[in-house]
Amino acid sequence: MSQDDRPEVLDLGMVDDGDDPLGEPSRRRRRDLPRRGVLAVAGLAVLGGGAALLRSQGSAPSPEAKPSPTRTATLRPGPTPLPAQVVVTRLPKPALDGRRLDVFGFSDSAIVRVELATGRVTRTSLPPQADVGLSYAPVRGGVLVHRDDGGGAYLVRDGHGPHEAPAELASVGPLLPGPDLDHVWVASDSVTTPAPTMRLVGIDGRPTGINVRLPLYASYQPIPDGSGYALVYGVGGTYWVRPQGVTRVTTGAVLAGGPTGWLVLDCDERAACSAVLVDRSGRRRTVPGVVPPDVAAGIPAVGDGALAPDGGTAALYVGDPTRALRLVLVDLASGERMRTDLTLVGGAVSQSLVWSPDGRWLFGVDSSARMVAVDPRTGRLQLLVPDTIVPALPVVGQIAVRS
C-alpha cells in the first residue's frame, strides 16, 4: 500500500474527563440536545431494527451444531482502500475491569471500537451510504460492513480504514455472523422469491459449500439467532434455521435470545398467554412473572431482549414504546425483576443489547445513542466512553462484542 493509501490516524493521547470515566455518567451532558434531536427524527425509521441486532460470536458453537468443514480464513482486503479517517483515543485507564473484550458500536457513517483491556477507542469513518440497509459482523481481525441492497461489502481491519471486501460477500439481503469468527452467512437470493437460501462463506470470500434453505413466506429478513445461525419470522411462527434443518421455535413472539435458547411468549386458542423458555434441544419450561402488560411483545419498534450466556437471566425492555422504556433484568427461575438505570425515550433509535460472553456485563445504547455497560449485579449503568472524548462519537445504532 502506498503512502497516499494509508488512512489518516490521529492519536489524541490521554483524555481528562474531569470525572471518573468508569463511574456514574456526568450530569453535565452538553451534547444531549443535538443528539436527541437526531434521535427524535430518526427514531421510528428503524422499525424492526432492534430484532436484527448482533450477538456475540466470540465463542465457538456446540459441537453438534458446528458446520463442517470449519477452518481459519485469512483476511484478504480488496486492492482498493476507500477514503476514510481513523482516529485513535486512549482513555486514562482500561475500561470496566480491563478484560480482553472489544465492544463495537455501529452507525451508517462510522465504526467505534472500544478495547476494554487497554482503554483504546478507535473511530473509523465509512464511505457515505445513501439510505441503504447495512449489516455488521465482527470477524477475526476486523469487521465486515454489508450493504443489504447488493451494493457490496467493506472489510474494516482493526486499526485501518475500510477496503472493498471480496465480491462473494456481496448480496441482496442481510449478512449474518457465522458460527465462528472466520465465517458469515450471505443471502443467495431475496426472501421474497421462491426457495430463498443463505450460504456459509469464509471472510476471505471462499465458499464452504454449506447452504441452508429459508422458510417460504417469511415476514422479515433473517436475523442472528445468538449462536451463529438464523431466525426467520414467517407464516406459522418463528423458525430456527441451521444446516441440520428448520425448527419452529414458537407460534408466538420471541422476547429474548441467546446462546442457550430463547424466551418466547406463547398464547393458546383462548388467548391465554405465558412466557416459555425454549432451549436448543427443544425442551420447554414455563417462566413465571414475565407477562405483565408492560412487557412489549410482537411490536416491531421494540427490539428483542437478550438472554444471558447461562440462560438464567433475560434483559427486557418494559413500558410504553411511544413514551419511555426501561431495561429490567428478569431471573428466569423465580420471575423476579431488577430495575436498571438504562431508560429510553419514545422512538429511541436503538434498543440494541448484548452480553459479554461470561455474563459479567450487559452492553447497550442509551437514549443519547451512547455506548453503555450495565452491571447485572446492581443494575447500575456506566458510560463506556466519556462524553468529553474528541472527536464526538457518532449516533450509534447497533452494538456487538468480540472476545
Side-chain angles (χ1 to χ4, degrees), residues 8-350:
E8 179 182 355
V9 179
L10 304 179
D11 190 343
L12 303 180
M14 303 288 283
V15 175
D16 184 4
D17 187 26
D19 296 321
D20 181 1
L22 307 183
E24 287 294 305
S26 170
R27 296 180 183 273
R28 296 169 298 140
R29 301 190 175 174
R30 295 174 294 173
R31 296 189 178 91
D32 276 3
L33 288 178
R35 296 173 71 89
R36 290 179 185 272
V38 173
L39 300 176
V41 174
L44 295 181
V46 291
L47 298 184
L53 301 180
L54 298 172
R55 277 31 172 213
S56 170
Q57 299 300 319
S59 58
S62 58
E64 64 273 14
K66 189 172 184 178
S68 180
T70 298
R71 55 179 173 77
T72 299
T74 302
L75 288 176
R76 297 187 305 164
T80 307
L82 302 170
Q85 185 182 65
V86 179
V87 180
V88 178
T89 304
R90 286 178 173 85
L91 303 179
K93 56 184 177 180
L96 302 181
D97 47 12
R99 62 190 52 222
R100 294 182 60 85
L101 186 71
D102 293 345
V103 184
F104 293 92
F106 302 112
S107 78
D108 59 2
S109 63
I111 295 174
V112 179
R113 177 190 178 205
V114 182
E115 300 172 66
L116 302 187
T118 64
R120 182 165 53 197
V121 180
T122 304
R123 181 186 189 273
T124 305
S125 63
L126 297 174
Q129 309 297 327
D131 298 324
V132 299
L134 297 175
S135 302
Y136 310 90
V139 297
R140 193 177 308 281
V143 172
L144 282 172
V145 182
H146 179 268
R147 286 178 55 118
D148 297 348
D149 65 350
Y154 308 122
L155 172 61
V156 183
R157 300 179 69 187
D158 292 343
H160 296 78
H163 289 71
E164 293 180 358
E168 294 81 2
L169 297 175
S171 65
V172 176
L175 176 143
L176 305 184
D180 54 48
L181 291 172
D182 300 305
H183 296 89
V184 291
W185 292 101
V186 178
S188 61
D189 207 346
S190 170
V191 295
T192 60
T193 61
T197 60
M198 298 196 75
R199 49 194 174 87
L200 189 65
V201 180
I203 57 178
D204 55 4
R206 296 173 182 169
T208 63
I210 298 175
N211 300 316
V212 296
R213 179 168 294 186
L214 303 178
L216 297 176
Y217 311 113
S219 302
Y220 298 96
Q221 296 278 17
I223 64 170
D225 77 326
S227 68
Y229 300 98
L231 283 180
V232 179
Y233 300 95
V235 173
T238 302
Y239 299 87
W240 182 30
V241 180
R242 305 172 294 158
Q244 293 88 338
V246 175
T247 303
R248 186 162 64 185
V249 174
T250 178
T251 58
V254 175
L255 299 178
T260 61
W262 307 272
L263 179 66
V264 304
L265 183 65
D266 282 341
C267 300
D268 63 18
E269 62 276 6
R270 298 180 182 274
C273 302
S274 61
V276 178
L277 190 63
V278 182
D279 68 24
R280 293 180 182 270
S281 66
R283 291 189 296 267
R284 305 171 69 88
R285 175 174 66 84
T286 301
V287 177
V290 179
V291 199
D294 63 343
V295 176
I299 301 175
V302 180
D304 289 349
L307 279 185
D310 64 1
T313 304
L316 301 172
Y317 283 109
V318 300
D320 182 351
T322 65
R323 301 183 64 183
L325 294 172
R326 174 179 290 275
L327 181 70
V328 298
L329 302 178
V330 181
D331 185 316
L332 298 182
S334 65
E336 295 181 356
R337 293 185 180 188
M338 175 190 292
R339 292 168 61 93
T340 75
D341 291 339
L342 181 55
T343 59
L344 299 178
V345 297
V349 166
S350 175

